[in-house]
Amino acid sequence: MRSADSYAINQLGIPEETLMKNAASALVSALQSRFRLRGCPIAIFCGPGNNGGDGWAAASMLHELGANVRVFADVIQEKGSSSGNRAYEAMDKGIVVMDEASDERLKNHEIAIDALFGTGLSRDVDGRYLEYIKRLNDFEGYVVSADVPSGIMTDEGIPGTAAVRADLTVCFGRPKISLFSEPGFEYAGEVIFDDIAIPREAYGDFQYSSTDEVLARKLYRKRDRTGFKGNYGKILLVAGSPGMTGAAGLCADAAFRSGAGLVYLAVPESRKFEYESLVREAISIPVPDDGHEYVSGFSADDVARTAKDKTAVVIGPGLHDKSRSNEIFEAVAKKTEATIILDARALLDIAGEPGILELAAGRTIVTPHPGEMSRLTGRSVREIQLSRIRTSEEFARRYNTVVLLKGHRTIVTDGRNTYFNTTGNPGMATAGSGDVLCGVIASALAYTESLVEAAAAGAFIHGKAGDAAASRLGEHGMKSGDIIDELPGIIKTLAGV
């Protein structure tokens, strides 16, 4: 971010003060959407650098809007410095500026803004600033951090001596890795983004992006009047087994509700009628099951023949633990050019030989949760959670695949372009949610040639539908089918129809 700031200032001629005002505007806009600001008591903690400058600019804007602003800063006597000058300018406007932040001085404030340190912090915080962080963490009102919570030092989000625990973080410019890595994301609270008018070219090869409606709208637009079902994806699902047929049904229904034109189910020959009742619109393709009543490696060649003209093949949701789905993947990879999405049982079946992914290099998407990623990489879940981004990117590059690592702020990467998902909620931690996600991603593949964009947009839409379901039903009572129910409305809005 600091190099992007420098490029914007020195190469593009954008004044530093303009960037600070843009950042301040982003903070103020975030607060305006959540609070009535006129008369609202707001405490702003300003540090000595550019992050503090953002805070001073926000103080001025909030004061002009009629908020009751009080700034805490350790620069009152430093009139010769830029920070000191900002303090005196603020006092000239009638803004109260203080150095000591006691409980007594904070107790009547409704909002506190953390503008102490941004991404440039490389040392433990001490002295007055350590006191400020402690005061912010003891504050009983709403805490907003500017760019990143102060005290988070590294890309992986490791806090130093102390770090602010925010309710909301307004991230400026491109996403910061620390906001999506454990334990950093635990400090950030809700995260929203504002580019503060820094153009993309300022970031050079910077590869991190957040998922958003702009990305999703690239895929979902108003349909051509002359389109037919074959234009909108032909998806084959290798999913379900006795006791888990619902996985196939959820995946198929989600694919249809996300815009798929045709969905096929590879089903065990001996139980085809059971599967045909799951989703009426899906087309069942019976394959030999050798009397086991589930699809397995025994029918790998039959599945591959069915897969030849398909846009996407999903392998794994609800499959039997003896399905030998790695054999199905191998046959489909060798005999078709279809994009293959691997989930659940399929991930466990290839865990001992992840190099098999290279049989379909550049056309696979793997969707592990941390436990499955542990099996794929040989690393502990704790190691993965502490380095979610690095682990995902390394695996994606090594096996030429797209990785969607599930969890709070899901990560999607092809090893070069990495997206952090910004939607979703704890209510989605429910049986079948991953099956729904596979259906959404499979459908998205009909609308773009970019696997990483399809997976990232799929994660965004899936999470947004989950958020809508949680808003309607609450996080405790929602189930996977409720996510599916919200998909058409979400995509209708994205497509502008």
Side-chain angles (χ1 to χ4, degrees), residues 119-156:
T119 57
L121 185 66
S122 58
R123 59 176 176 81
D124 284 338
V125 179
D126 55 17
R128 179 59 55 81
Y129 295 115
L130 179 58
E131 176 194 331
Y132 287 164
I133 289 176
K134 290 178 179 177
R135 294 296 183 195
L136 281 161
N137 286 340
D138 290 338
F139 181 63
E140 294 182 357
Y142 192 81
V143 178
V144 182
S145 285
D147 205 21
V148 296
S150 293
I152 299 295
M153 294 195 300
T154 68
D155 277 350
E156 292 296 349

Side-chain angles (χ1 to χ4, degrees), residues 136-459:
L136 281 161
N137 286 340
D138 290 338
F139 181 63
E140 294 182 357
Y142 192 81
V143 178
V144 182
S145 285
D147 205 21
V148 296
S150 293
I152 299 295
M153 294 195 300
T154 68
D155 277 350
E156 292 296 349
I158 307 299
T161 308
V164 172
R165 289 187 177 273
D167 296 295
L168 171 70
T169 298
V170 182
C171 181
F172 309 138
R174 307 293 283 194
K176 311 302 186 295
I177 296 176
S178 57
L179 301 179
F180 296 88
S181 301
E182 188 179 318
F185 64 61
E186 298 174 2
Y187 290 78
E190 179 188 358
V191 180
I192 61 175
F193 300 89
D194 193 293
D195 63 20
I196 64 171
I198 297 178
R200 188 178 184 87
E201 65 179 283
Y203 298 95
D205 294 330
F206 195 86
Q207 62 203 35
Y208 297 105
S209 304
S210 59
T211 60
D212 57 19
E213 292 184 355
V214 175
L215 170 68
R217 284 192 177 112
K218 287 176 64 178
L219 277 66
Y220 290 97
R221 295 179 292 274
K222 189 173 181 179
R223 285 190 171 186
D224 191 321
R225 288 183 177 275
T226 62
F228 59 96
K229 58 191 175 185
N231 293 136
Y232 303 113
K234 300 169 70 175
I235 298 165
L236 174 64
L237 306 182
V238 187
S241 59
M244 298 188 74
T245 54
L250 287 167
C251 192
D253 205 13
F256 276 122
R257 291 298 190 182
S258 301
L262 291 162
V263 178
Y264 301 79
L265 295 177
V267 303
E269 196 170 46
S270 60
R271 302 189 69 158
K272 62 181 180 179
F273 296 112
E274 180 179 343
Y275 282 84
E276 286 177 351
S277 66
L278 290 173
V279 180
R280 290 176 300 173
E281 298 86 352
I283 301 167
S284 294
I285 308 294
V287 296
D289 58 18
D290 197 27
H292 294 304
E293 299 187 335
Y294 55 82
V295 177
S296 71
F298 177 81
S299 49
D301 289 338
D302 298 274
V303 172
R305 279 192 290 273
T306 300
K308 280 189 176 179
D309 63 339
K310 303 302 183 288
T311 309
V313 179
V314 178
I315 305 174
L319 284 182
H320 196 278
D321 59 6
K322 294 181 181 179
S323 64
R324 307 194 319 270
S325 60
N326 54 313
E327 296 176 19
I328 299 173
F329 168 77
E330 184 174 354
V332 173
K334 287 180 176 179
K335 297 180 180 182
T336 79
E337 295 299 319
T339 297
I340 306 170
I341 302 169
L342 298 176
D343 185 50
R345 185 71 238 171
L347 298 174
L348 299 180
D349 284 346
I350 70 164
E353 48 174 351
I356 196 174
L357 290 169
E358 294 176 10
L359 292 174
R363 53 188 179 93
T364 58
I365 299 172
V366 296
T367 61
H369 57 58
E372 291 162 343
M373 196 65 172
S374 175
R375 294 280 293 273
L376 287 168
T377 62
R379 300 178 183 177
S380 70
V381 170
R382 181 62 178 161
E383 286 179 286
I384 289 166
Q385 290 296 79
L386 287 173
S387 58
R388 285 168 57 83
I389 299 161
R390 185 174 67 249
T391 300
S392 300
E393 290 178 339
E394 287 176 354
F395 191 91
R397 284 192 292 267
R398 181 172 181 180
Y399 299 111
N400 197 2
T401 187
V402 169
V403 173
L404 184 151
L405 180 57
K406 297 170 182 171
H408 179 57
R409 300 193 183 133
T410 289
I411 293 165
V412 182
T413 182
D414 60 5
R416 297 172 299 280
N417 305 288
T418 299
Y419 291 87
F420 306 113
N421 191 40
T422 55
T423 58
N425 63 82
M428 298 175 72
T430 185
S433 182
D435 307 326
V436 174
L437 175 61
C438 282
V440 176
I441 295 172
S443 175
L445 285 165
Y447 296 86
T448 178
E449 294 182 358
S450 169
L451 272 64
V452 71
E453 286 190 355

